[in-house]
Amino acid sequence: MSDEEPARRHNGRIHQDSGSASAALPSGIPRPWWIYQGTGRPLHDVSLEEILPPPPPWRAFGGVSACPVEGDGRSGALSDADDAPTEPPAPPEDEQDTARRLGATPLGVRSDPEEADLVNAALILRRPLLVTGRPGTGKSTLAYRISRELGLGRVLRWPITTRSTLRSGLYGYDAVGRVHAAAAGQASEGDSREPGPEDIGDFLQLGPLGTAMLPHRLPRVLLIDEFDKSDIDLPNDLLDIFEAGEYSIPELVRIRRRRPAVSVLTDDPERSTVIASGRVRCRAFPVVVITSNGEREFPPAFLRRCLQLRLPDPDADRLAAIVAAHLGRADDPRARELIQMFVERSEREGGLAADQLLNAVYLVTSQSHVPGPEWEELLQAVWHRLDSAAGST
């Protein structure tokens, strides 16, 4: 389905311009209540702030920024809604990172209606979105599509490993580095005093989760990637933060009487913020996209508070759009042939990743390619199975 026309505002809603592009859309698509259209194209002539309804009463948090309202470009901004100080707007999207994820141009196809329904429900209800599916189906990419379309700036990405903890997502504190810096200062100045609270902000940095939970006027997009790799306790730990909408930093709470406000670095490059009394409360709950390959089950309490979306394997049309977005070669006869071969092989192998197709198309269309046994062997290696059975076949 083509979406060449930009999204526009009409009577407080977003819709696609009429014409040949929208004529091919199924009846009722886009739905009148959608904010996220699933096109990957930025909103046109309207901002998210104008069309996003207020949160449900049980999801309103009301955090206020401790940054001064006037300053040097890193200061807080006033919310037009209630004049409460909020964090500065998010940095622009990382163009190189976004291009790697989405390609140089939008896909040119609309998201599946179920995907758009659940993304919009998560936006309106201020709930995390748990996205499952086979590897390579575009789970992580969804966060970047949402951010680009809604104009929410740089995506905050928290890659999960078996060693990830709630604290590592919220902030990092280099206590050893602080002690060494204090010792170096004492040696140079002949001072034997213990490190004081005045320098603690130089050794503390908010993580992706901690930055997303700052009191922003518009929500930040937080990608929690490959959550099924996490420790067994992390889902419940994370649930408490999402329900409370706030967190504390014990190292700053302990010195709040001597240092009621501390400037710390955030996960955004060259950005800092001010933490008051060691506590942070969000204002606009972040757009949280949690990805999982389905390798483990999560606690019922966690699942109950998330909206769940399972992404299907992309069909031939969507794969062609992905190839066009990244390589611009979907019309090449060799690319079309590879796409069809890929679809058939993916069905036989129980699912292949879209980046495996991109690798093959790039090899075929960017180099002199002569079909033969060597090419078939290379294709076999590039399009290897993604499960544990691959090594036994």
Side-chain angles (χ1 to χ4, degrees):
M1 291 176 289
S2 173
D3 60 44
E4 293 301 320
E5 299 296 333
R8 298 183 183 273
R9 188 181 185 190
H10 177 66
N11 293 330
R13 298 293 183 180
I14 299 298
H15 69 95
Q16 294 297 117
D17 285 350
S18 60
S20 58
S22 59
L25 296 175
S27 176
I29 303 298
R31 309 195 202 285
W33 62 278
W34 280 359
I35 299 168
Y36 169 76
Q37 302 293 297
T39 64
R41 299 178 182 277
L43 294 176
H44 184 70
D45 292 339
V46 67
S47 68
L48 178 62
E49 189 174 14
E50 296 178 72
I51 58 176
L52 183 64
W58 56 90
R59 299 297 293 164
F61 300 104
V64 176
S65 175
C67 292
V69 174
E70 295 181 358
D72 60 356
R74 296 181 298 176
S75 57
L78 289 180
S79 168
D80 294 336
D82 53 15
D83 290 339
T86 57
E87 293 293 309
E93 67 179 26
D94 185 325
E95 294 184 2
Q96 290 188 350
D97 190 26
T98 303
R100 285 194 295 269
R101 302 277 184 166
L102 301 180
T105 59
L107 284 184
V109 294
R110 184 181 292 276
S111 297
D112 182 84
E114 180 186 4
E115 174 186 316
D117 279 344
L118 285 168
V119 169
N120 281 287
L123 280 169
I124 295 171
L125 296 174
R126 275 64 168 185
R127 287 293 184 184
L129 183 65
L130 176 61
V131 185
T132 59
R134 297 181 188 274
T137 53
K139 300 183 297 294
S140 301
T141 300
L142 178 59
Y144 292 83
R145 284 171 62 87
I146 294 171
S147 180
R148 171 174 284 183
E149 182 169 325
L150 302 184
L152 294 177
R154 177 178 176 267
V155 173
L156 296 162
R157 179 174 176 264
W158 183 17
I160 299 298
T161 69
T162 55
R163 296 181 299 277
S164 297
T165 63
L166 181 63
R167 173 173 158 165
S168 67
L170 291 173
Y171 71 97
Y173 174 50
D174 185 6
V176 174
R178 186 180 177 209
V179 170
H180 287 170
Q186 292 166 7
S188 62
E189 299 177 8
D191 192 344
S192 60
R193 291 176 298 175
E194 293 293 324
E198 61 277 356
D199 66 341
I200 191 171
D202 296 335
F203 300 93
L204 198 151
Q205 181 175 12
L206 300 185
L209 174 59
T211 302
M213 297 297 288
L214 289 170
H216 297 282
R217 182 172 55 85
L218 290 175
R220 295 296 300 270
V221 176
L222 172 64
L223 170 61
I224 304 179
D225 216 5
E226 299 192 340
F227 196 53
D228 45 350
K229 292 182 179 179
S230 68
D231 178 80
I232 191 171
D233 294 325
L234 186 56
N236 286 327
D237 294 341
L238 189 61
L239 177 61
D240 183 65
I241 296 293
F242 285 159
E243 287 300 293
E246 62 182 25
Y247 64 94
S248 62
I249 301 175
E251 292 84 355
L252 300 186
V253 173
R254 286 195 293 268
I255 63 171
R256 65 187 183 279
R257 290 186 176 85
R258 290 177 291 167
R259 286 292 304 277
V262 177
S263 177
V264 302
L265 296 173
T266 72
D267 190 64
D268 292 318
E270 308 299 325
R271 288 281 187 104
S272 63
T273 190
V274 175
I275 306 298
S277 300
R279 300 186 184 279
V280 175
R281 174 179 292 178
C282 75
R283 189 167 193 84
F285 187 79
V287 179
V288 183
V289 177
I290 304 172
T291 71
S292 169
N293 292 325
E295 296 178 1
R296 59 170 284 192
E297 295 183 354
F298 298 113
F302 179 81
L303 296 177
R304 180 166 60 87
R305 291 170 173 86
C306 295
L307 297 182
Q308 300 180 55
L309 168 66
R310 179 168 182 83
L311 293 184
D313 294 342
D315 59 17
D317 289 341
R318 192 165 188 83
L319 289 171
I322 292 172
V323 171
H326 285 271
L327 301 175
R329 300 166 186 168
D331 293 335
D332 188 306
R334 295 170 297 178
R336 290 199 299 268
E337 180 183 2
L338 274 177
I339 291 171
Q340 187 57 43
M341 291 172 58
F342 179 86
V343 170
E344 295 171 356
R345 179 153 186 162
S346 181
E347 292 176 352
R348 294 197 308 269
E349 300 288 356
L352 299 174
D355 59 345
Q356 293 176 284
L357 172 63
L358 292 175
N359 290 336
V361 173
Y362 185 82
L363 284 172
V364 168
T365 59
S366 63
Q367 305 291 334
S368 54
H369 162 246
V370 178
E374 298 84 359
W375 166 248
E376 294 300 327
E377 293 177 4
L378 179 59
L379 200 60
Q380 177 80 15
V382 172
W383 288 355
H384 61 83
R385 292 181 62 175
L386 303 178
D387 54 25
S388 59
S392 62
T393 57

